Amino acid sequence: MSTPALQQAPLRDYTRILGVGAYRPEVIVTNDDVVQWIDSSDEWIRQRTGIVTRHRAPRDVSVIDMAEAAAREALANAGIDAKQLGGVLVSTVTHPYATPSASAQLADRLGATPAPAYDISAACAGYCYGIAQADALVHAGTAEYVLVVGVEKLSDFIDNSDRTISFLLGDGAGAVVVGPSTTAGIGPSVWGSDGSKHESIRMTRSLIDIRDYSLGALAASEGDGEAADSDAEQASLWPTMRQDGPTVFRWAVWEMAKVAQQALDAAGISADDLAAFLPHQANIRIIDEMVKQLKLPEHVSVARDIVDAGNTSAASIPLAMHRLLKEQPELSGGLALQIGFGAGLVFGAQVVVLP
């Protein structure tokens, strides 16, 4: 018996980013605020990182709240109704629940149900991972429009007294809508990982550690009448982020410039063709060194959103794109090289046409 022929979704030739949105929390934390907790100074932080301020969300503002605000602006700027979405992708490492996903709840809030939705855990490369997947989904005809959100509430997972990474981090959300295009708008993605360096950016504890501690403390308090550990001791078990700064810096500077060049080559363009450079906002010295290694000409606008926003992990590239287009609207329609890199270690890059 012959096998019946299957129908497949019609392929689309081209995709592009149709609109971008952003949300920045109102609370601004200065370097002078930060040095109350660590042995440092405003001058040291500026010289070593370029950061002057960072935004942090209040306790009653969640990852989903921030994602929703950014997503609504992106949809409006793209001229797309949430009901038209064929996918909702949320890149985050700070949604405090293993399940349900932030993306499914976001889709419901936006009115995008029953669009498929899933979270991406790729830290600072998460947004570029999302673009790679949205591009593929639209290309394959699986979806017509896909929402990609990078959002982090890193302030929930920092130890203010830690000087390896806490003073770098901020909160925020950026979002874009990816859809079909009559011309090429998203170049091939260059992405990957190196798990051998996973200890370079890490959490101090696992959820299993918290479980075991909680059960042990409960047993002690109920079994022999001894008081449970103090609130301060319990709080110290909460997982917070740590970083091996020199290792990450060397990796980012020497390896990520190669990845960025590979993305340019894959797109069939040179640095001279770029209108903008949108690197992950990790450290101003990393950004400046990448500019040198890529030999970017002076006409290329380089995003340095880190000065005011700090490092917002998965949110940093769309936030930087939003700000750059707001300050320089003439860049719309130009080519931008975007690259994310961070914990995992993971990386992703592509050349895109700015919305």
Side-chain angles (χ1 to χ4, degrees):
M1 185 176 69
S2 62
T3 302
L6 290 176
Q7 290 188 359
Q8 287 190 275
L11 300 179
R12 295 189 177 91
D13 290 333
Y14 304 118
T15 65
R16 69 171 292 167
I17 296 172
L18 303 173
V20 60
Y23 174 82
R24 299 174 188 269
E26 294 181 358
V27 177
I28 297 176
V29 177
T30 68
N31 289 341
D32 287 335
D33 294 326
V34 168
V35 298
Q36 297 178 64
W37 305 308
I38 62 174
D39 181 18
S40 188
S41 67
D42 171 64
E43 181 182 11
W44 185 90
I45 294 173
R46 289 182 189 234
Q47 289 180 348
R48 301 288 292 183
T49 71
I51 298 173
V52 177
T53 62
R54 71 282 292 146
H55 295 252
R56 290 187 178 164
R59 181 180 292 270
D60 60 351
V61 174
S62 70
V63 161
I64 299 170
D65 293 332
M66 293 189 288
E68 179 184 4
R72 289 194 182 281
E73 183 183 4
L75 287 165
N77 287 336
I80 300 300
D81 189 278
K83 292 182 174 61
Q84 296 175 265
L85 292 174
V88 176
L89 313 184
V90 175
S91 296
T92 186
V93 293
T94 51
H95 179 50
Y97 297 94
T99 191
S101 66
S103 53
Q105 295 175 73
L106 175 62
D108 176 63
R109 284 201 191 180
L110 295 173
T113 304
Y118 59 92
D119 291 359
I120 299 170
S121 178
C124 307
Y127 166 76
C128 289
Y129 270 42
I131 293 297
Q133 293 173 59
D135 173 47
L137 289 170
V138 177
H139 262 308
T142 305
E144 186 172 14
Y145 301 104
V146 178
L147 175 70
V148 178
V149 182
V151 57
E152 303 290 6
K153 191 177 181 184
L154 292 158
S155 58
D156 278 345
F157 296 91
I158 61 173
D159 172 2
N160 283 326
S161 65
D162 161 62
R163 57 176 294 139
T164 69
I165 197 170
S166 66
F167 64 96
L168 298 169
L169 304 177
D171 302 337
V176 299
V177 176
V178 174
S181 174
T182 57
T183 57
I186 300 176
S189 293
V190 177
W191 55 339
S193 67
D194 181 2
S196 69
K197 296 182 176 65
H198 69 276
E199 287 289 332
S200 300
I201 307 174
R202 63 195 182 278
M203 303 296 289
T204 55
R205 301 278 192 275
S206 74
L207 295 179
I208 301 300
D209 293 330
I210 297 176
R211 180 199 66 185
D212 292 347
Y213 173 89
S214 298
L215 291 176
L218 182 62
S221 64
E222 291 183 346
D224 56 14
E226 292 182 5
D229 289 344
S230 69
D231 289 345
E233 290 173 317
Q234 292 184 45
S236 70
L237 191 71
W238 180 247
T240 56
M241 295 185 178
R242 294 293 187 276
Q243 172 178 251
D244 179 356
T247 298
V248 175
F249 185 88
R250 287 192 298 270
W251 173 76
V253 166
W254 301 114
E255 298 302 321
M256 291 305 98
K258 299 175 187 175
V259 171
Q261 184 61 54
Q262 290 170 21
L264 289 173
D265 295 342
I269 68 166
S270 70
D272 290 340
D273 299 315
L274 292 173
F277 179 43
L278 298 171
H280 166 49
Q281 304 292 292
N283 183 305
I284 202 76
R285 293 191 300 153
I286 293 174
I287 294 172
D288 290 343
E289 185 59 37
M290 290 180 73
V291 168
K292 291 179 184 177
Q293 291 194 42
L294 291 168
K295 297 182 172 64
L296 296 185
E298 290 187 4
H299 75 261
V300 177
S301 295
V302 179
R304 292 186 173 87
D305 192 48
I306 188 171
V307 174
D308 300 316
N311 179 342
T312 56
S313 188
S316 78
I317 294 175
L319 279 173
M321 177 188 291
H322 182 273
R323 178 173 185 170
L324 206 62
L325 287 171
K326 185 176 181 180
E327 294 178 349
Q328 301 179 64
E330 68 276 9
L331 294 176
S332 177
L335 295 176
L337 169 62
Q338 55 184 30
I339 178 169
F341 44 87
L345 296 172
V346 292
F347 58 87
Q350 54 270 124
V351 177
V352 302
V353 174
L354 290 167

